[in-house]
Amino acid sequence: MLALPLLAGAGAAAQDPPAKPHAPALGSEEGGLRALCDREEAKLLQSPLLVRDPALTAYVQAVCCRLAGPLCPEVRVHILRTPYFNASMAPNGMMQVWTGLLLRCADEAQLATILGHEIAHYHLRHGLDQLRDAKSRSAFATLALMVPIAGPLASLGAVAGGFAYSRDHERAADAEGLERLAEAGYPAGEAPRVWSNLLEELKAEGGGDAAKRSRLFATHPPETERQRALEAAAARMAGADRDPGRAAFRAAIAPFRMGWMEDELKRRRYGESVALLTRLCGEDPQDGLARYFLGEACRLRDGDGDAERARRAYGEALELPGAPPEVHRALGRLHRRAGRMPEMRAAYARYLALRPDAEDAEMIKTYLKETP
Amino acid sequence: MKKLGAALTLLLLAACQKPAVWTAVTPLESELPGGLRVRGEAGWNRLDTHQAGTWNVRWTVNGETLDRLWFFAGVPAGQPLVRVRGEVPKGAAVFKEGMQAEDVAELFESFLSAGGSTFRRDRLAPHPFAGGDGFRFDYTLIRKADDVTLKGSAFGAVRGGKLYLIVFQAPRVHYFAALLPRAEAVVKSARIEP
């Protein structure tokens, strides 16, 4: 039975974390840890993966500030273009948010769920606790000495998050994160959904224990337990009718979604991508962009019936707003395979009209000249 | 018993396996797998891995981190661009009969970015290859190991149901532009003798 000490209502012995010294002595453990993180942050600022978009960064920073309250000045948001679900906050205030997480959130409340959880780890100084644990210390030292921040993806999260937290830490961060979510005026009911969506996606790929394949699940409480605890806690909180901030969130990420969906397919976990894109299409049936990429994910998965699924998704995307010109190219490709030359020519001509400077325009022009 | 014999034979073979060595490419025509023949001027070095039955050959001028000319000479249908220890790597995309230029470019991209490097295709166009029609695609790659930005140009065609691809790749800074003409000369000399 999971106890949520910070949410158990009146009489709960919520343990206050010690007041945060603003400049720990460099010789202290905390000082050393912060110096190490500062060095990693300097490297991060040079990374080609850093999304250098002031508007998007400011938007995520503002969500963090809403959640962090008085800690707001200590949080520095860095968005990294990498197609995995992850966010982490280092003990020096460096918050990394990966674009794979932004792609997967339906609204601001879901993003705030993850950010609030990470801010809670920071506030409760779990990174320092972990450092005091001898096992993590050796792991961390190895990591700090050997791993460039934009190097192997796994280490990105590991350096920033310090390393995997213990389950107790995760439970405490879940609880405090949820409180922060509610205090910031978000509906708490979105929180459990974030985790269930991710688990569903991981299960879609099959093979092994899905929950073990994401760093965010590695030591987190078992999913069903976490789910139940979060749902129960959220149910006790007011504000189910609050605005989850869908419009603002969608507006902030709109200019980037196409690139992020392309990145998603490059992970080559097509089962997971089909699950994710199916969900995105369900969340917004008018989303032509997600529909086109669902077609692409099916085409690339190339399993039984996937060619037909792809064709259907492209066809549906054509009728929807937001479908990219590439949907015509995809249809042209299918028609050419099947020898339907007039249809092929019409589709490719449409693509070239919309994307006259396409990188593959020269190749496609040769297809237009082909005769059956 | 049979199995044991086979295992012993394998062990013996492994013990006899020569290490991979670089040798200078002579300015004469080189015979590559799959009946591909190319002519390279002096300065190229060829990597010999002593692996029979592979379609991969690598050449370089300055060393592979600085420039690489990569041959995928006659990849049969159902096979990946590169086999690992004679096996198809788990989950690797394979060449399929009937693949078009854009499919080959996609196959190469998935091969190159499998380790987490960032790949962007910059251009796909028709291009003559080995005396017939073929294609060319150019790309930019951020190499994951060191965050170095590389440029690449790939030239190829599907002939007799097999894929022929010659890829030149080098860092964007200096090496790519400096050596591309030499790589293009090798591509231009390519012919296929089944």
Side-chain angles (χ1 to χ4, degrees), chain A residues 170-360:
Chain A
E170 292 298 350
R171 288 188 183 117
D174 266 355
E176 184 181 314
L178 206 53
E179 282 197 329
R180 288 180 177 276
L181 196 68
E183 274 168 32
Y186 292 107
E190 289 290 318
R193 214 162 295 151
V194 178
W195 302 111
S196 62
N197 284 347
L198 181 60
L199 195 64
E200 195 178 291
E201 206 179 299
L202 291 167
K203 279 180 177 160
E205 192 69 33
D209 180 357
K212 287 202 175 84
R213 292 217 315 275
S214 164
R215 191 192 71 88
L216 282 167
F217 281 145
T219 58
H220 285 57
E223 279 327 290
T224 44
E225 173 203 317
R226 165 181 243 166
Q227 201 75 8
R228 275 202 305 269
L230 281 170
E231 277 168 5
R236 284 196 299 271
M237 292 184 160
D241 53 347
R242 287 170 175 171
D243 174 19
R246 185 175 169 76
F249 179 76
R250 286 296 288 262
I253 66 167
F256 310 97
R257 281 175 91 235
M258 183 160 179
W260 297 348
M261 287 183 192
E262 283 171 353
D263 293 351
E264 166 61 24
L265 294 183
K266 287 179 184 181
R267 291 197 309 130
R268 303 192 311 158
R269 315 264 336 190
Y270 302 126
E272 289 174 15
S273 298
V274 168
L276 166 67
L277 290 155
T278 302
R279 194 182 81 231
L280 294 182
C281 289
E283 282 167 4
D284 180 3
Q286 290 300 301
D287 186 347
L289 188 66
R291 194 74 56 143
Y292 159 71
F293 277 100
L294 174 61
E296 286 289 88
C298 291
R299 174 178 71 80
L300 290 160
R301 185 171 64 175
D302 203 17
D304 279 347
D306 277 341
E308 180 50 32
R309 280 188 201 98
R311 201 190 55 75
R312 205 171 44 234
Y314 297 142
E316 287 163 353
L318 270 186
E319 310 295 319
L320 296 173
E326 281 69 17
V327 72
H328 299 289
R329 179 178 65 181
L331 285 163
R333 194 175 184 169
L334 289 177
H335 292 316
R336 184 165 177 259
R337 288 245 164 103
R340 294 186 293 264
M341 297 319 244
E343 290 91 339
M344 174 202 84
R345 276 192 283 274
Y348 274 147
R350 190 97 197 87
Y351 169 63
L352 290 180
L354 293 164
R355 285 243 197 270
D357 300 326
E359 50 87 19
D360 52 1

Side-chain angles (χ1 to χ4, degrees), chain A residues 46-119:
Chain A
Q46 301 302 317
S47 170
L49 298 178
L50 188 67
V51 177
R52 293 172 173 82
D53 186 89
L56 182 67
T57 308
Y59 170 77
V60 177
Q61 180 82 45
V63 175
C64 278
C65 275
R66 237 175 110 171
L67 294 156
L71 295 175
C72 165
E74 296 173 31
V75 187
R76 291 179 307 282
V77 168
H78 305 291
I79 298 170
L80 288 172
R81 185 162 176 176
T82 177
Y84 296 85
F85 182 104
N86 201 0
S88 54
M89 189 162 174
N92 69 337
M94 155 175 71
M95 169 77 86
Q96 284 187 39
V97 180
W98 292 8
T99 51
L101 167 66
L102 295 171
L103 177 65
R104 281 165 176 76
C105 289
D107 51 42
E108 201 173 290
Q110 289 190 3
L111 170 65
T113 299
I114 306 287
L115 298 181
H117 176 97
E118 293 302 323
I119 290 167

Side-chain angles (χ1 to χ4, degrees), chain A residues 266 302 333 337 359 367, chain B residues 96 102-103 109 119 121:
Chain A
K266 287 179 184 181
D302 203 17
R333 194 175 184 169
R337 288 245 164 103
E359 50 87 19
Y367 297 160
Chain B
K96 292 179 186 151
E102 58 267 33
D103 303 319
E109 170 176 349
F119 182 104
R121 198 172 76 200

